[in-house]
Amino acid sequence: MSICFSKEFLLENMMGPNAVTMCEELTKDLPLSGCRRILDLGCGKGLSSLFLADRLDAEVFAVDLWTPASENLARFEQMGYGDRIVPLHAGAEALPFADGYFDAVVSIDAYHYFGREKGFLDAHIAPLVKEGGMIALAFPGLKQELAQCSPKELFVTWSRDDLETMHSVGWWRSLLCASAKTRLISIGEMACFEESWNDWLSCDNPYAVGDRKAMDAGAGKHMNLIAAVCQRIPSA
């Protein structure tokens, strides 16, 4: 990787566990070298988009609902990637792209917010990917479902509504295997959990400051980061 993220830049632009570290682990063994267009879905402030544009000779479309596209463009230009990354403001349920437009979709620390409903992947994401293309997801999860255990450490900072977005590997495996338009290639816990969370907790983002309370109480022993890779299959 040739791009140089200063510590200050990373800490200023994190919106959760370090997206660069997560993206690096998620994509390390993926066959993305031939991709021409990649969708970075839920890109936040664009850290993962910068990583992808630097690593791959591809045009990256950086889509987020909460971060204005103009703000992301300014960051991309600041880092010298303004001509390689297209920033867009859109929700995952209404993506303005043609079917089969992307060679791959990557989503870091975002899919658990909008992709938990059965059928969402087939309705909104899979059609945008070419046959054989990869959909690579990384997001926070739990080692066990809250229905099986409700450790008090998790509720130091987060409400039950907050934790509705977090599920176990088994829960996500069942959901993703139900897709009719993709097949699940792999799913499991990520090795970068501690590193990515420590980076996040060290920044001054108000949400990070709040998360420290739960993590200091031991919530991390019940949590993980989950990586899932699906492949678009031919249409019937």
Side-chain angles (χ1 to χ4, degrees), residues 56-138:
L56 303 167
D57 185 21
E59 188 175 20
V60 177
F61 288 74
V63 175
D64 198 79
L65 181 61
W66 303 114
T67 305
S70 296
E71 289 185 12
N72 273 339
L73 177 60
R75 266 184 290 275
F76 300 150
E77 290 180 338
Q78 173 189 347
M79 297 296 286
Y81 288 82
D83 61 341
R84 297 276 305 280
I85 309 174
V86 180
L88 288 145
H89 181 263
E93 298 85 357
L95 294 168
F97 302 109
D99 288 353
Y101 191 69
F102 293 104
D103 298 292
V105 172
V106 173
S107 182
I108 307 294
D109 193 21
Y111 194 79
H112 59 303
Y113 290 120
F114 50 72
R116 303 188 309 277
E117 296 297 323
K118 185 176 180 181
F120 181 90
L121 180 63
D122 285 359
H124 300 290
I125 310 302
L128 306 181
V129 184
K130 294 178 180 178
E131 293 181 0
M134 298 295 179
I135 301 171
L137 316 169

Side-chain angles (χ1 to χ4, degrees), residues 40-41 65 74 158 167 174 177 186 192 205 233 236:
D40 183 8
L41 181 58
L65 181 61
W158 305 303
H167 290 282
S174 295
C177 282
S186 64
C192 66
N205 185 298
I233 59 178

Side-chain angles (χ1 to χ4, degrees), residues 7 33 42 65 104 165 186 218:
K7 183 177 181 179
S33 58
L65 181 61
T165 65
S186 64

Side-chain angles (χ1 to χ4, degrees), residues 5 29 73 84 101 123 128 130 166 173 175 207 211:
F5 292 105
D29 298 319
L73 177 60
R84 297 276 305 280
Y101 191 69
L128 306 181
K130 294 178 180 178
M166 297 174 68
R173 180 184 290 112
L175 180 70
Y207 289 102
D211 289 351

